[in-house]
Amino acid sequence: MIVSGSDSGPLAPGPGQLLEEVAGLVGLRPEQVEGVLHEAAIALKGPVPADRRLTVLRLRMSGVKHSGERFGFEQFFGPGVWVIAHPANSAGKTSLLECLVWPLRGAPRDLPPDVRSWLRTLSADVMVAGRPTRISMEFTPMARPAATCRIWAAAFEGELLESADGELRLVAEASGLEDTSRVISGYLMDALRMDHITMWQGKGGADGEGAAQVHGWASYFGACYLNPGGEEILLGDVSAAGLPGRLLELFVDVPYSTALTQLAVAGKRETKLLRQQERRAEGDAAARKSDRDAWRQELTTLEGAIAALRAEQDRDVTPVLAAADRAGARLRDRVEQLDGLEQALAELTTGRVRAQQALMDTQETWQARRVLGRLDPVCCPRCEEPLEAERRVQERQSASCAVCTRTLPEVDAETAEAALEQLQAQVSAAEAAEGKARDLRDAAKAEVEQAKAAQRTAHAGLQDVLAVSGSHHKLRELELRAAVLQGQLAATGLRPGAGKTDGSSPNSVLETAHDVVRQYVEAAARRLFPTMDAQIVELAARFGVQNLDSVRLNRAGHVNAVKAGVATAFKRLSRGDRLRMRIATVIALLRVGAARGVATHPGLLLIDSVAAEEVTEVPARTLIAELQALSEELPGLQVVLTTAQPELAEGLVPKERLITSSGEHLF
């Protein structure tokens, strides 16, 4: 599908053609490109103009002033220019306008706190894209919540104006001021088919590296409720770079302008993420330098062990096995020999002990006999009875013991000495044999220890050889560990080209789609903006801007004016000229939209203190007269303005559209 302007030829292709064009540039299928866009929450909607007309039908409110005086107010509205006028200051002109703004915007912009505290009910009957709608609010001081809101729908305008709240269809309700703002904003954006505007804030986010900034209905409404002359922003009351340009593109119906903004934000978000990933990779690599050094060292050791295992897998184990067998046999022989020597030594030790005991017994017996033989007892050693003289005589005569009457043994000193010498010789021989056996035993022990050491060495060698020859499991474990280390080194190292993307990556798809869509948006702007430039110059001159040679509106929302041959930025214009230029810009985009058969601006203008911004009586009357003429040229246009000079509207607007009061206040 090709979307065309009324007289300017094709402006932009349909969504399918855009997807095919992007897919051809990145080498993907259109459905793959569409999938990437969906993941980024971007939908290429066909540039079908939406009906965004917003017309106020009636404003009603009631309340109690601080003095206790109750008040009520009701005012019907319709297309055309409506003037809220009263010559006195603090008569309630701006407050009345702000009370109209509150249900339309979701929150007032500059409603005085005292007036806010007076309100008990506030409702606006409006036509929202052709839908009869009532937005009603109730306020209860000191209550929690202090405010409630309900949105009602009617079948037709007459039903809306003639029915009470409960007789209409309830479509939404809210509790509390914040919830009220949220519900009103959501309902109006949905009804007017508006998406949130997402802009990239270069220094936003918690990290200060940029973040998406989302703008909703309050930002859109700034193109209806115009800033006073002191503000430097062309459209809207939210200071965000590029936002006035997005509002212009939306309300002049530049095809795909919303998608272009979404693509720009998504691309910058992806770029930020890639940049952060690169920094994290660099930081991880630096933080893990010591770990990486240890991994490299371990990997080098493992690679050496793996090479050694692979080189020795085919080694012959027969010689090592034979050596282990010989060492084992020698150890068994030495142990058996030691056991025999230990037994012999034990027997010799026993013989030596017996010889020594016999010698000691003989020596003790000989000594006792020599001592006892010389004794001459006079009594029994047991009962101590005196020995009879007859026994003592008999002992001397017959050598019988006077105590026990037995024959006394004969003591031969030479025989005893010979027996003792023989026993001593036996002891000496036993000691010599025992000593020799001990020496043999000790030598055998040393040989056993040597044999054990040799056997351990042979066994260890055999185990090493057997382990190498059957090491496929160990080799596999070493190889797996080496692979893990290689993976860790690769994962924590900053690889050349990290963060770069190929043509099929999401970031590249977003960048390519952005470039393609931008071409069509810029082409549409080049077609539409010059027409608006001419309209702005003509209207601004009619509104009283002096010496204006030309203006050049761009997609950033800048009005580059030339006055008397001198380039003049918008913020350098006088306060009155800024207000006139704002009005001229909105009227210009309404005119361009009407010429193309679209109504993308709500067609509602709210202007506070129209004659306060250095606008004298003649230019002010001219401005009101031109707005009245434009309302006849653009039947759907509705303008509500305030002034402290009721005479400015005399003869210019019908009396029923002049909202004033003969009293001290308007309400």
Side-chain angles (χ1 to χ4, degrees):
M1 177 182 83
I2 299 293
V3 179
S4 302
S6 61
D7 57 0
S8 56
L11 291 179
Q17 290 173 287
L18 277 180
L19 291 173
E20 289 179 0
E21 185 173 349
V22 175
L25 292 173
V26 298
L28 296 174
R29 297 190 305 276
E31 55 269 24
Q32 291 176 306
V33 173
E34 188 174 24
V36 173
L37 297 182
H38 282 171
E39 288 183 4
I42 299 173
L44 294 179
K45 299 179 181 178
V48 178
D51 182 1
R52 297 196 176 98
R53 288 173 297 176
L54 182 63
T55 305
V56 180
L57 301 178
R58 180 172 58 184
L59 173 67
R60 290 182 294 178
M61 60 183 179
S62 65
V64 181
K65 297 183 180 181
H66 287 170
S67 62
E69 176 189 356
R70 294 184 178 275
F71 69 91
F73 180 89
E74 180 176 16
Q75 176 65 49
F76 287 89
F77 291 88
V81 178
W82 297 75
V83 179
I84 302 173
H86 198 286
N89 292 327
S90 301
K93 298 182 292 296
T94 298
S95 296
L96 186 58
L97 185 64
E98 287 287 343
C99 288
L100 178 61
V101 167
W102 194 339
L104 298 180
R105 185 175 180 264
R109 192 166 70 183
D110 192 23
L111 181 62
D114 57 337
V115 178
R116 183 189 295 234
S117 68
W118 298 351
L119 293 173
R120 297 296 180 268
T121 65
L122 176 63
S123 70
D125 292 336
V126 294
M127 295 295 289
V128 183
R131 305 177 186 178
T133 303
R134 176 176 297 162
I135 302 173
S136 62
M137 305 169 63
E138 294 183 2
F139 306 93
T140 306
M142 309 303 293
R144 292 292 182 272
T148 58
C149 174
R150 291 178 177 85
I151 300 178
W152 309 87
F156 52 91
E157 182 178 326
E159 181 187 14
L160 179 68
L161 296 176
E162 295 171 4
S163 302
D165 286 357
E167 298 172 350
L168 301 175
R169 180 169 57 88
L170 181 65
V171 295
E173 57 183 333
S175 178
L177 293 176
E178 290 186 4
D179 194 33
T180 294
S181 177
R182 187 181 304 109
V183 168
I184 292 175
S185 299
Y187 174 79
L188 291 176
M189 288 188 67
D190 180 66
L192 298 176
R193 292 175 56 190
M194 289 181 170
D195 297 321
H196 285 85
I197 301 176
T198 305
M199 306 288 294
W200 186 259
Q201 186 179 9
K203 295 184 179 180
D207 53 10
E209 296 186 7
Q213 189 177 52
V214 180
H215 302 277
W217 174 242
S219 297
Y220 284 117
F221 199 73
C224 296
Y225 189 9
L226 300 187
N227 293 329
E231 296 293 332
E232 297 181 356
I233 305 172
L234 177 63
L235 290 180
D237 50 13
V238 178
S239 179
L243 182 58
R246 301 292 80 75
L247 294 175
L248 277 175
E249 290 179 345
L250 173 74
F251 289 134
V252 81
D253 194 36
V254 174
Y256 299 115
S257 61
T258 299
L260 180 63
T261 303
Q262 293 173 341
L263 286 166
V265 170
K268 290 176 181 177
R269 184 186 292 114
E270 286 292 323
T271 300
K272 173 185 173 180
L273 292 176
L274 290 174
R275 186 169 60 247
Q276 290 177 336
Q277 289 173 0
E278 288 184 9
R279 282 205 306 270
R280 281 196 296 269
E282 292 173 354
D284 290 344
R288 290 192 173 185
K289 185 178 183 304
S290 59
D291 292 338
R292 288 170 56 80
D293 291 343
W295 293 339
R296 285 196 190 95
Q297 184 176 359
E298 184 180 357
L299 181 59
T300 300
T301 303
L302 285 175
E303 288 173 344
I306 290 170
L309 285 175
R310 289 173 178 170
E312 296 187 10
Q313 279 184 334
D314 297 330
R315 181 176 174 182
D316 187 9
V317 301
T318 303
V320 181
L321 185 59
D325 290 341
R326 288 194 298 272
R330 183 169 179 272
L331 176 61
R332 287 193 298 274
D333 292 342
R334 294 298 180 271
V335 171
E336 290 177 358
Q337 182 182 7
L338 177 61
D339 290 343
L341 291 173
E342 289 280 8
Q343 184 176 359
L345 177 59
E347 293 175 353
L348 290 174
T349 300
T350 300
R352 186 259 308 164
V353 170
R354 290 176 178 171
Q356 288 178 334
Q357 188 64 43
L359 176 60
M360 291 176 62
D361 291 345
T362 302
Q363 287 176 337
E364 290 174 356
T365 300
W366 170 240
Q367 292 296 335
R369 285 180 178 178
R370 285 203 304 173
V371 172
L372 294 175
R374 295 188 177 94
L375 292 178
D376 187 12
V378 294
C379 65
C380 176
R382 183 175 184 185
C383 63
E384 296 182 355
E385 286 293 325
L387 296 177
E388 299 175 354
E390 181 180 353
R391 284 194 177 189
R392 296 179 64 86
V393 173
Q394 187 178 357
E395 178 180 310
R396 287 193 296 270
Q397 292 177 353
S398 59
S400 60
C401 178
V403 178
C404 64
T405 69
R406 293 181 181 177
T407 302
L408 292 171
E410 184 179 359
V411 179
D412 185 356
E414 292 182 359
T415 301
E417 290 297 335
L420 289 173
E421 288 178 0
Q422 183 179 1
L423 291 173
Q424 184 63 52
Q426 290 177 355
V427 170
S428 298
E431 289 176 347
E434 182 186 16
K436 184 176 181 181
R438 183 174 286 106
D439 293 339
L440 292 174
R441 192 276 312 271
D442 293 343
K445 271 188 176 182
E447 290 181 0
V448 167
E449 293 301 322
Q450 292 175 358
K452 284 183 179 180
Q455 192 271 343
R456 283 195 297 269
T457 301
H459 181 73
L462 177 61
Q463 292 299 319
D464 290 342
V465 173
L466 290 175
V468 172
S469 64
S471 62
H472 57 278
H473 292 297
K474 182 177 181 181
L475 179 62
R476 180 59 177 163
E477 291 176 359
L478 295 179
E479 289 174 340
L480 288 175
R481 177 57 183 163
V484 170
L485 291 173
Q486 290 169 347
Q488 289 174 325
L489 289 169
T492 57
L494 185 60
R495 299 175 298 280
K500 296 182 179 179
T501 59
D502 57 25
S504 62
S505 68
N507 195 41
S508 295
V509 172
L510 293 173
E511 290 178 354
T512 304
H514 178 269
D515 293 341
V516 170
V517 173
R518 187 188 66 236
Q519 295 174 7
Y520 292 109
V521 170
E522 290 177 347
R526 286 194 298 269
R527 294 170 182 268
L528 295 173
F529 280 18
T531 304
M532 287 190 61
D533 293 343
Q535 295 280 348
I536 292 171
V537 172
E538 184 236 328
L539 291 166
R542 288 169 60 180
F543 294 159
V545 178
Q546 302 295 319
N547 303 318
L548 182 63
D549 299 326
S550 66
V551 297
R552 184 171 55 84
L553 195 64
N554 62 23
R555 292 183 52 245
H558 299 148
V559 177
N560 301 291
V562 177
K563 293 188 66 176
V566 178
T568 307
F570 181 77
K571 65 181 180 180
R572 300 297 181 189
L573 297 173
S574 69
R575 295 168 62 93
D577 281 352
R578 286 184 219 163
L579 178 58
R580 297 182 188 100
M581 291 286 280
R582 286 192 184 96
I583 299 172
T585 300
V586 175
I587 296 298
L589 65 86
L590 285 170
R591 274 183 165 181
V592 171
R596 297 171 60 218
V598 299
T600 52
H601 186 279
L604 172 66
L605 283 183
L606 307 177
I607 308 170
D608 190 22
S609 303
V610 70
E613 304 291 359
E614 304 175 2
V615 180
T616 60
E617 180 178 350
V618 173
R621 284 183 59 83
T622 301
L623 175 59
I624 295 174
E626 292 297 337
L627 288 173
Q628 178 64 25
L630 286 169
S631 70
E632 296 174 0
E633 176 188 337
L634 303 171
L637 178 64
Q638 186 178 45
V639 181
V640 181
L641 56 87
T642 70
T643 179
Q645 303 176 49
E647 64 273 12
L648 296 179
E650 292 179 358
L652 299 179
V653 299
K655 290 185 178 181
E656 62 269 17
R657 296 184 191 170
L658 179 61
I659 305 170
T660 187
S661 171
S662 58
E664 186 179 354
H665 301 99
L666 289 171
F667 61 91

